[in-house]
Amino acid sequence: MSELNTPAVVILSDKALDLGRRIALAIGGELHGARARVSSADRLFDDVKAHLAGLFAEGRPIVAVMASGAVIRLLAPFLSDKQVEPPVLSVSEDGASVVPLLGGHHGANDLARAIAGALDAHAAVTTAGDLRFGIALDEPPAGYVLANPENAKAVMAELVAGAKAKLAVSSPRRGEGGAIAPGEGAAPDKSSLLSPSSGPSDHLLPVGEKGRAPLAAWLLSSRIPFADDGMVTLTVTDRPKNAGPLELVYHPKTLVLGIGCERHASTDEAIALAEKALTECGLARESLAAVASIDVKADEAAVHAAAAHFGVPARFFDAATLEAEAPRLRNPSEVVFAEVGCHGVAEGAALAAVGPAGELVVEKIKSKGATAAIARVPAIVDPETIGRARGKLFVVGIGPGADQWRSPEVSAMVSASTDLVGYSLYLDLLGPLAEGKARHDFDLGKEEARVVRAMELAGEGRTVALVCSGDAGIYAMATLVFELFDKGGISDAAHRIEVQVSPGISALQAAAARIGAPLGHDFCTISLSDLLTPWEHIQRRVTAAGEGDFVIAFYNPVSMKRRTQLAWAREKLLEYRPATTPVILATNLGRPGEHVRTVPLGALNVDDVDMLTVVVVGSSESRTVTTGDGKTWVYTPRGYSGKADTGMAKAGA
């Protein structure tokens, strides 16, 4: 689920914390809490009106654990077009009532029912169609697309007023050689409404045929009154259709587009070929359920561009699975077999996706660098059940560990993941955000094993979060990911995964913020660990930073066995800056036991530092200042000595 589709469960106090977490878990949501009164949440906010307005503007579904009237008053100034407004719901603080306020036919009613089911509560659905007929005609279930939602209001009004409906189910027939003859319909074959035939028109399903219309089962299971001469027409078809004024056209997701292509094929070419396969054969693009190909193309931009163009997922099969479809191929190729191990990619992938009950309805067509074919099955295609997805790896930095220092993007990535990989402490710091995920815990160290596991899991088609503290790219796991891509050590499938790296608040930023502004001028970071870097290189860098008068953040300053490096660095830096230079020691930042203090460089004691401490040494210009409340801060001026003073004098003049 993308961040914009993830429901935001909004609570205003710790009293609603347990309820909010139960709701978030039930609907795959993200918990948002008022910073002043909520101790822990996936995302904290300061101003409830501004936060709700921002979520509403983003199109995020909102579930607010607060009074309905309050939610209405807060969002009233932002209401405009009901067709594009996201679902907004109110849940009573006792969890007894769930009220869809906005977007009832855009997901709010279904969310209300899901929440009510999880809480054993009452879903106060009030939309007329839902109450009378049990379904919302402008919100079809997964696997269907309403082609003309603008007609829904008029159709529903007629039905509510007492009109009856007739049901039309049609599909193209297969022509010679497997190609679909454009514009031809299906005969009224009662045993299978999608059987190829020569009938020229749609089949108007007589009343009582519920068991023989799998594509229309959700309509027939409703309380809508059907009659052969109904005034309203409800059409289910995988062909484009111009609807009448009292007609709703639903396209079922019954088609799969198979694509094969050369490496680095043109994305425009692949999309154009796919469009040709659909339009020349009279198929509705809305009926596409997925784009399918062979697994060696899992990282092929052209395949993913075609999937994105049609708004459907891309799914992949191994060569052995595609070769099993060889008897059903219309255009088997020995050349393709010699290249990838199966006799057809486009046709084979389409057929593998629809299974034995499906058929090839558009045989392979070619362009310079791509091939395309389409298969259909007489049932809704669930893309999650065919082949596998291209694996995705999120490399995330969770900051020092506190909820308020974790970015919304990172929280959304963790929420969207099926698997979490990381040092056990870091996974524990995610708290409830880790619930329902497969955890792959590692001890401190074993960094490469950690990253290999994450990449291999993604290579299996999973969505994986590789969890790091601080920022994932600063002395953390992001570097190892790309090193493995570069140098090897992972499977071919792991080489083809998608990677996204999300930033986090680093330890040096957190330490600086807690003590003032020591990073106000040039600074650097140096790791004192010699596990991967020769000690003589570390010495050279400390010396150079001392000579350059940089503020220095020391990572990995000590360990159980390594106690001398920080002492050496202290003595070396005393050659370049005063013994009074402020040094910040920050331990357990953002976590219980946080301790931030300042000592002079000359008095820095290695025994005061442990593995959970970051050490920030000021430059020769860094200073301390004490404010009226008695707190001492550290800052580094933006300019040096006389130059800074001159600039300030000019500004004052």
Side-chain angles (χ1 to χ4, degrees):
M1 183 181 291
S2 72
E3 181 182 358
L4 291 183
N5 292 328
T6 302
V9 181
V10 180
I11 62 173
L12 302 183
S13 70
D14 272 345
K15 182 181 178 181
L17 186 56
D18 289 342
L19 176 61
R21 291 212 180 278
R22 288 175 63 194
I23 295 170
L25 183 62
I27 62 175
E30 183 180 69
L31 188 64
H32 293 213
R35 190 185 309 277
R37 296 186 297 279
V38 175
S39 58
S40 175
D42 300 327
R43 184 172 171 183
L44 296 172
F45 59 85
D46 295 307
D47 183 280
V48 62
K49 181 175 183 179
H51 189 65
L52 287 180
L55 293 170
F56 191 76
E58 290 174 1
R60 290 279 296 271
I62 300 170
V63 181
V65 182
M66 52 193 295
S68 297
V71 179
I72 292 169
R73 285 190 295 273
L74 289 169
L75 290 179
F78 310 104
L79 303 184
S80 56
D81 184 357
K82 65 178 290 185
Q83 297 301 322
V84 298
E85 290 168 353
V88 178
L89 299 87
S90 171
V91 180
S92 62
E93 289 192 355
D94 62 1
S97 298
V98 185
V99 184
L101 301 174
L102 297 171
H105 289 177
H106 298 129
N109 289 347
D110 286 342
L111 276 176
R113 295 185 183 102
I115 294 169
L119 302 180
D120 193 23
H122 170 62
V125 176
T126 59
T127 45
D130 279 39
L131 289 174
R132 182 161 181 177
F133 304 122
I135 65 171
L137 287 175
D138 57 352
E139 190 188 356
Y144 299 84
V145 175
L146 176 58
N148 58 327
E150 66 278 3
N151 281 18
K153 184 177 181 180
V155 166
M156 188 63 84
E158 288 293 331
L159 291 173
V160 170
K164 291 181 170 57
K166 57 178 177 255
L167 180 61
V169 182
S170 69
S171 66
R173 75 174 177 88
R174 182 161 49 85
E176 294 183 1
I180 290 178
E184 298 187 359
D189 180 350
K190 304 292 180 64
S191 64
S192 174
L193 292 172
L194 289 180
S195 296
S197 69
S198 57
S201 63
D202 292 342
H203 171 46
L204 300 182
L205 187 70
V207 176
E209 297 278 342
K210 295 185 180 183
R212 302 180 183 180
L215 291 181
W218 68 279
L219 288 170
L220 292 169
S221 66
S222 72
R223 296 188 292 273
I224 292 174
F226 285 99
D228 295 346
D229 60 349
M231 181 182 300
V232 167
T233 302
L234 303 178
T235 298
V236 182
T237 179
D238 57 9
R239 292 182 293 153
K241 190 177 190 304
N242 292 322
L246 289 180
E247 180 180 15
L248 295 180
V249 177
Y250 299 94
H251 294 304
K253 296 283 189 178
T254 55
L255 306 176
V256 176
L257 170 69
I259 287 186
C261 61
E262 298 174 349
R263 177 55 70 182
H264 306 307
S266 164
T267 57
D268 290 341
E269 178 185 341
I271 291 171
L273 187 67
E275 287 279 12
K276 179 180 178 181
L278 288 166
T279 57
E280 290 191 359
C281 297
L283 292 167
R285 59 186 290 151
E286 295 88 350
S287 281
L288 270 185
V291 169
S293 191
I294 191 168
D295 58 4
V296 296
K297 297 296 179 183
D299 59 346
E300 187 63 58
V303 176
H304 290 283
H309 177 73
F310 294 109
V312 298
R315 306 293 290 187
F316 301 92
F317 299 89
D318 60 30
T321 301
L322 298 192
E323 182 58 16
E325 300 295 337
R328 297 206 287 168
L329 299 183
R330 300 273 174 176
N331 299 278
S333 169
E334 292 296 334
V335 174
V336 174
F337 180 77
E339 185 71 24
V340 296
C342 65
H343 281 84
V345 172
E347 291 185 351
L351 287 167
V354 299
E359 63 176 345
L360 193 68
V361 292
V362 178
E363 66 182 65
K364 181 174 69 177
I365 60 175
K366 301 179 182 179
S367 61
K368 181 180 178 180
T371 59
I374 299 175
R376 187 209 310 125
V377 66
I380 295 299
V381 175
D382 179 2
E384 296 298 318
T385 65
I386 60 175
R388 66 168 178 81
R390 181 191 185 189
K392 182 177 291 186
L393 177 64
F394 296 128
V395 189
V396 299
I398 62 171
D403 292 349
Q404 68 269 21
W405 277 352
R406 185 173 63 237
S407 77
E409 180 180 68
V410 166
S411 293
M413 287 178 169
V414 172
S415 294
S417 297
T418 57
D419 294 71
L420 307 177
V421 179
Y423 172 41
S424 295
L425 172 63
Y426 302 159
L427 299 187
D428 290 341
L429 289 173
L430 291 171
L433 201 59
E435 291 177 2
K437 316 291 183 185
R439 284 181 53 147
H440 305 268
D441 291 60
F442 284 80
D443 294 334
L444 193 62
K446 301 189 180 297
E447 285 86 357
E448 185 167 336
R450 219 184 297 174
V451 176
V452 169
R453 171 70 69 85
M455 297 179 76
E456 294 295 347
L457 287 169
E460 297 173 8
R462 307 191 201 190
T463 301
V464 182
L466 178 59
V467 179
C468 310
S469 67
D471 181 277
I474 300 178
Y475 302 116
M477 301 297 98
T479 299
L480 261 176
V481 170
F482 299 105
E483 185 174 337
L484 288 167
F485 275 132
D486 185 30
K487 297 181 178 179
I490 53 175
S491 67
D492 182 69
H495 265 286
R496 301 188 187 283
I497 63 175
E498 178 185 353
V499 176
Q500 294 182 38
V501 181
S502 186
I505 294 175
S506 66
L508 72 103
Q509 291 172 296
R514 285 295 198 234
I515 203 66
L519 307 180
H521 207 287
D522 297 338
F523 65 91
C524 67
T525 63
I526 299 175
S527 172
L528 291 181
S529 172
D530 57 1
L531 289 176
L532 298 175
T533 306
W535 173 237
E536 57 269 23
H537 292 191
I538 297 173
Q539 289 177 303
R540 187 170 68 248
R541 290 167 185 170
V542 173
T543 301
E547 291 176 346
D549 201 22
F550 287 93
V551 175
I552 308 169
F554 285 118
Y555 279 69
N556 307 308
V558 298
S559 68
M560 295 293 291
K561 298 180 180 179
R562 180 170 40 81
R563 311 296 298 174
T564 60
Q565 283 89 334
L566 181 59
W568 183 91
R570 176 194 62 206
E571 298 307 313
K572 175 55 66 173
L573 292 177
L574 284 171
E575 297 176 14
Y576 301 101
R577 57 195 68 177
T580 55
T581 300
V583 178
I584 300 117
L585 306 179
T587 304
N588 284 323
L589 285 160
R591 300 193 290 269
E594 178 182 296
H595 185 33
V596 181
R597 65 274 195 203
T598 304
V599 299
L601 178 59
L604 175 59
N605 186 345
V606 174
D607 291 335
D608 292 334
V609 179
D610 61 22
M611 291 183 291
L612 299 177
T613 302
V614 62
V615 178
V616 181
V617 181
S619 72
S620 65
E621 297 289 325
S622 297
R623 305 172 189 177
T624 61
V625 61
T626 302
T627 50
D629 56 6
K631 183 171 177 56
T632 298
W633 304 88
V634 178
Y635 75 100
T636 302
R638 294 175 299 158
Y640 270 78
S641 300
K643 187 168 184 178
D645 294 340
T646 302
M648 292 178 68
K650 288 182 178 179

